Amino acid sequence: MNAPTVADLAAKGETPDVLFWVGCAGSFDDRAKRVTVAFVKILNAVGIKFAVLGTEEACTGDPARRAGNEFLFQMQAMNNIQVLNGYSIKKIVTACPHCFNTIKNEYPDLGGTYEVIHHATFLQQLINDGKIKLKEGGAFKGKKITYHDSCYLGRANNIYEAPREVLQALDADLVEMKRCRTTGLCCGAGGAQMFKEPEKGKKDINVERAEEALGTGATTIAVACPFCMTMMTDGVKNKEKEAEVKVKDLAELIAESL
Amino acid sequence: MAIVQQIVFIGTLTVAGFFIRQRVLRIRENIFLGKKKSIHDRRRERLKNMLLLAFGQKKMFKRPLPAILHFFIYIGFLVINLEVLEFVIDGILGTHRILAPYLGSIYPIATNVFEFLAFAVLTACVIFLVRRNVLKIPRFWSAEMTSWPRLDANLILTTEIALMCAIFTMNASDQILQTRSEHYVNTGVLFLSSYLMPILQQADTSTLIFIERFCWWFHIVGILGFTLYVTYSKHLHIFMAFLNTYYAKLEAKGHINNMPVVTNEVKTMLGLAPAAATPTEPGRFGAKDVVDLSWNNLLAAYSCTECGRCTSECPANLTGKKLSPRKIMMDTRDRLEEIGKSLDKKGKGANDGKFLLGDYISKEEINACTSCNACVEACPVMINPLEIILELRRYVAMEESGSPASWNAMFQNIETSFAPWKFSPADRFNWSKQE
């Protein structure tokens, strides 16, 4: 797999046009790693001069901050900013809406200002510019796909249309859930919930959301976030529909249709 | 006789003014018990938010039916208050419909417009009462809607209905009196209230004069009393919504406020800045009580009218968790009012041994939040319950180390392995070896 590190490029006296921030889920979670690989495949197919930080990358601090541990967040943030500024990084793309939000909105307060793009927007731009060419009559033509809004893309950053435009490029039949865009229901993982059991209640949030997604009759649930991926996949399994309905990231859908 | 009425009126106005002023000063002082925060930037955007969301009610229209009904009451409130101006002048000068001769043919038009608006307000209030008490719309009956919040809402709606009925009865008797006495200036036909005239036609003149005067007094004293009541009620949003939309957060909803105190310490720890010569006492990290919150969070608590749109969209609440963003705002205001009451009595204020966290809001509630911003998005007047939840979490994590065990484990993983899971940092790039 061609995934140069920024250090590799620096050794050759080069800098990447864009840094791909992989994130912890994209680096360690087996399911999310497949999304990382799919996205790298697209970057290579398009011929973009990109690089990753490799082992120099560290957690943005998002879950620590949202769980209330501001010290830990700022330690992580400042270390990351030192690394990014050290390599004079200007532009960052990431497949994780949580990393995206933190680096874009919160790092500037601590001295790290970059152009940060989520991969949904990045893919949409590549499609619009004609740089990504999808197969005629691809695997998803006419298939029902529903898109689950990530809170950290949607409400947190007002990105609602880019992921939908990416899906439309697949010629798929995009069906919406009742709760979508500004009223999209959370998968249940945000705010550091990913790292603990839910509080006592009647139901798990991801099951509620999976039921709604399954109710559309879609055979693919598209997501744009590694945490949504985990939650929706578990929700679909809970309803014993994993054989018929697949949860996939935008990057995987595009990579499969190249 | 007229002079007695004038004296009583001026006296009533003065007493009402005194009590309303006291409450306004108390609320102001309460809000500024919060932490200082300078909000003077981006004035155009702030003004735009105020005009669009408070004045223009933009977000209300996400739910069209209540939006239209609410709009009737809102416009009615704004416009009928012009009529109250005439009430006040008449009351002080001992005149009757003083503006009629000056406005000429405009007066009947204006008064008819007021009547139509009054009817719209009345209808909307009746429908709202039905929605709350007969249809029992769920968001008006969730756990935090205990007897007082429900009574508060019903009192407001009933008072508004009574005030509107007084206007109609007053105008109807006035129109009959216009045919019997020169003292009653000709207003022309007042379309809606003229329907009530047949009922009153039989009454003798002195009874009609009494009815007219009673309704006049009922309306004006009602409005003064209502204004004072509003300062103790959720209904304060009629003023606070304007302030809150102006001072609300402008950054992307995903942004969490930075803590500069922590930044200084972290910079020192990382050797990025020299240690401060005299280490400053940082106070409390995060919030344990309302006085640890920023003043704009407290302003937001006074702006909440408990409509429950936030709670009805909260994923935690929808799935049966204890968290309700509306309750966060109600608790914040209740605690602040408790402190204010104590200060009024020269009591201990915030040092009464009680706290927002623990006595009002439990850890179970704040731990259930997914920070999804559904509540923030849903609020028609830009209230942000998430900011308060996060400040409480900050206190728990940094002052008490009392976060849930799995969060403490996650903190430790980030500290030692630079990832929220326990993986070796050396394995971070292993994904590239696939395929």
Side-chain angles (χ1 to χ4, degrees), chain B residues 188-424:
Chain B
V189 177
L190 301 176
F191 184 74
L192 286 174
S193 59
S194 63
Y195 280 101
L196 293 175
M197 284 164 68
I199 308 169
L200 299 163
Q201 206 64 265
Q202 312 301 326
D204 56 45
T205 304
S206 59
T207 313
L208 279 180
I209 292 175
F210 176 79
I211 294 175
E212 195 275 339
R213 279 295 84 193
F214 179 82
C215 289
W216 187 91
W217 277 97
F218 180 85
H219 190 74
I220 189 68
V221 174
I223 282 187
L224 292 173
F226 189 62
T227 310
L228 181 61
Y229 174 76
V230 160
T231 65
Y232 291 96
S233 152
K234 69 164 191 129
H235 210 52
L236 199 52
H237 81 292
I238 57 177
F239 305 109
M240 294 303 196
F242 290 87
L243 294 179
N244 198 63
T245 45
Y246 184 85
Y247 287 109
K249 188 178 170 103
L250 293 177
E251 290 90 356
K253 288 195 192 72
H255 173 268
I256 289 182
N257 297 326
N258 196 46
M259 289 180 71
V261 192
V262 173
T263 309
N264 296 339
E265 288 204 23
V266 170
K267 276 192 173 162
T268 312
M269 279 158 75
L270 294 175
L272 297 172
T278 45
T280 44
E281 191 56 47
R284 224 173 244 160
F285 288 118
K288 186 181 191 187
D289 206 351
V290 286
V291 293
D292 305 321
L293 295 167
S294 292
W295 68 271
N296 61 315
N297 296 138
L298 306 182
L299 173 73
Y302 276 117
S303 315
C304 174
T305 196
E306 301 166 13
C307 72
R309 282 168 170 75
C310 51
T311 296
S312 74
E313 305 219 348
C314 170
N317 192 276
L318 282 171
T319 53
K321 279 83 175 173
K322 251 190 166 180
L323 173 66
S324 161
R326 167 171 56 186
K327 180 176 173 289
I328 300 288
M329 302 317 297
M330 291 167 74
D331 285 342
T332 303
R333 185 179 56 206
D334 287 350
R335 171 63 184 148
L336 194 52
E337 279 286 300
E338 182 180 53
I339 293 173
K341 261 184 215 146
S342 160
L343 290 176
D344 273 340
K345 290 184 210 142
K346 309 269 178 258
K348 287 180 176 168
N351 302 317
D352 57 355
K354 287 170 93 175
F355 297 97
L356 180 65
L357 181 70
D359 293 304
Y360 286 80
I361 300 172
S362 65
K363 282 190 197 171
E364 183 179 344
E365 290 164 71
I366 57 168
N367 286 344
C369 174
T370 69
S371 74
C372 76
N373 270 300
C375 55
V376 181
E377 178 71 40
C379 182
V381 297
M382 298 183 86
I383 294 171
N384 192 325
L386 182 53
E387 279 190 351
I388 298 179
I389 294 172
L390 283 164
E391 288 302 324
L392 297 174
R393 278 190 184 178
R394 280 174 169 172
Y395 175 81
V396 175
M398 292 189 282
E399 295 276 359
E400 287 189 333
S401 302
S403 304
S406 19
W407 275 357
N408 282 332
M410 176 262 287
F411 295 155
Q412 210 178 358
N413 291 336
I414 294 179
E415 256 182 85
T416 54
S417 331
F418 311 116
W421 299 286
K422 208 176 178 67
F423 289 107
S424 163

Side-chain angles (χ1 to χ4, degrees), chain A residues 1 3-5 8 20 22-30 33-34 36-37 40-41 50 52-59 61 63-76 78-79 82 101 104-106 109-110 151-152 155-158 160 179 182-186 188-205 208 227, chain B residues 62 251-267 269-270 272 285 312-322 363-378 386 390 393-398 403-408 410-412 414-421 423-435:
Chain A
M1 165 136 312
T5 61
D8 291 341
F20 171 31
V22 181
C24 299
S27 302
F28 293 117
D29 178 273
D30 284 336
K33 276 197 270 187
R34 279 161 42 204
T36 305
V37 170
V40 168
K41 187 180 157 193
F50 77 99
V52 295
L53 282 173
T55 52
E56 284 188 277
E57 194 185 278
C59 173
R65 177 169 249 196
R66 271 140 194 91
N69 195 333
E70 183 72 7
F71 272 101
L72 185 53
F73 162 72
Q74 292 203 14
M75 289 289 282
Q76 289 299 116
M78 277 195 233
N79 279 321
Q82 276 191 296
N101 177 69
K104 180 175 192 278
N105 295 320
E106 297 176 354
D109 293 336
L110 299 167
C151 305
Y152 274 77
R155 280 185 292 269
N157 288 291
N158 286 319
Y160 299 109
R179 291 177 282 199
T182 56
T183 54
L185 184 76
C186 176
Q193 297 298 332
M194 185 72 194
F195 307 101
K196 75 172 196 24
E197 287 303 309
E199 311 303 312
K200 206 164 83 246
K202 291 186 304 229
K203 199 178 192 177
D204 283 343
I205 297 172
E208 167 86 10
F227 296 163
Chain B
K62 278 189 156 190
E251 290 90 356
K253 288 195 192 72
H255 173 268
I256 289 182
N257 297 326
N258 196 46
M259 289 180 71
V261 192
V262 173
T263 309
N264 296 339
E265 288 204 23
V266 170
K267 276 192 173 162
M269 279 158 75
L270 294 175
L272 297 172
F285 288 118
S312 74
E313 305 219 348
C314 170
N317 192 276
L318 282 171
T319 53
K321 279 83 175 173
K322 251 190 166 180
K363 282 190 197 171
E364 183 179 344
E365 290 164 71
I366 57 168
N367 286 344
C369 174
T370 69
S371 74
C372 76
N373 270 300
C375 55
V376 181
E377 178 71 40
L386 182 53
L390 283 164
R393 278 190 184 178
R394 280 174 169 172
Y395 175 81
V396 175
M398 292 189 282
S403 304
S406 19
W407 275 357
N408 282 332
M410 176 262 287
F411 295 155
Q412 210 178 358
I414 294 179
E415 256 182 85
T416 54
S417 331
F418 311 116
W421 299 286
F423 289 107
S424 163
D427 294 339
R428 188 176 268 274
F429 198 33
N430 287 359
W431 58 267
S432 66
K433 293 174 192 136
Q434 289 183 356
E435 287 177 39

Side-chain angles (χ1 to χ4, degrees), chain A:
Chain A
M1 165 136 312
N2 175 34
T5 61
V6 184
D8 291 341
L9 291 192
K12 290 190 275 177
E14 293 174 24
T15 51
D17 292 339
V18 60
L19 172 84
F20 171 31
W21 182 276
V22 181
C24 299
S27 302
F28 293 117
D29 178 273
D30 284 336
R31 182 67 189 84
K33 276 197 270 187
R34 279 161 42 204
V35 177
T36 305
V37 170
F39 188 59
V40 168
K41 187 180 157 193
I42 298 169
L43 291 173
N44 281 321
V46 178
I48 286 167
K49 190 175 176 190
F50 77 99
V52 295
L53 282 173
T55 52
E56 284 188 277
E57 194 185 278
C59 173
T60 59
D62 157 88
R65 177 169 249 196
R66 271 140 194 91
N69 195 333
E70 183 72 7
F71 272 101
L72 185 53
F73 162 72
Q74 292 203 14
M75 289 289 282
Q76 289 299 116
M78 277 195 233
N79 279 321
N80 282 326
I81 290 168
Q82 276 191 296
V83 172
L84 291 168
N85 288 354
Y87 284 122
S88 306
I89 297 297
K90 300 278 180 292
K91 188 172 173 181
I92 299 173
V93 64
T94 176
C96 173
H98 297 265
C99 298
F100 165 72
N101 177 69
T102 304
I103 302 174
K104 180 175 192 278
N105 295 320
E106 297 176 354
Y107 278 19
D109 293 336
L110 299 167
T113 306
Y114 319 97
E115 183 191 349
V116 191
I117 308 174
H118 185 261
H119 81 322
T121 312
F122 195 76
L123 290 172
Q124 180 226 351
Q125 285 170 358
L126 290 175
I127 292 168
N128 286 359
D129 296 349
K131 287 184 182 149
I132 289 182
K133 293 207 177 52
L134 299 170
K135 278 187 291 207
E136 283 290 320
F140 299 99
K141 195 180 163 78
K143 291 259 174 69
K144 269 193 182 176
I145 295 185
T146 190
Y147 172 68
H148 162 77
D149 283 282
S150 145
C151 305
Y152 274 77
L153 269 195
R155 280 185 292 269
N157 288 291
N158 286 319
I159 299 176
Y160 299 109
E161 298 314 320
R164 289 178 166 81
E165 283 180 34
V166 171
L167 292 173
Q168 265 144 10
L170 296 170
D171 253 349
D173 176 15
L174 184 60
V175 284
E176 293 289 353
M177 290 181 255
K178 188 163 172 272
R179 291 177 282 199
C180 63
R181 295 189 171 86
T182 56
T183 54
L185 184 76
C186 176
C187 70
Q193 297 298 332
M194 185 72 194
F195 307 101
K196 75 172 196 24
E197 287 303 309
E199 311 303 312
K200 206 164 83 246
K202 291 186 304 229
K203 199 178 192 177
D204 283 343
I205 297 172
N206 63 330
V207 174
E208 167 86 10
R209 186 55 164 172
E211 282 170 2
E212 191 177 4
L214 293 171
T216 62
T219 48
T220 305
I221 300 169
V223 295
C225 168
F227 296 163
C228 296
M229 168 73 82
T230 305
M231 299 306 268
M232 294 307 284
T233 308
D234 287 353
V236 170
K237 270 188 201 149
N238 182 284
K239 295 274 128 194
E240 297 177 343
K241 292 279 181 210
E242 67 269 32
E244 303 101 292
V245 179
K246 300 286 172 219
V247 183
K248 291 206 162 150
D249 186 272
L250 296 177
E252 294 179 298
L253 294 171
I254 294 296
E256 285 173 31
S257 309
L258 283 175

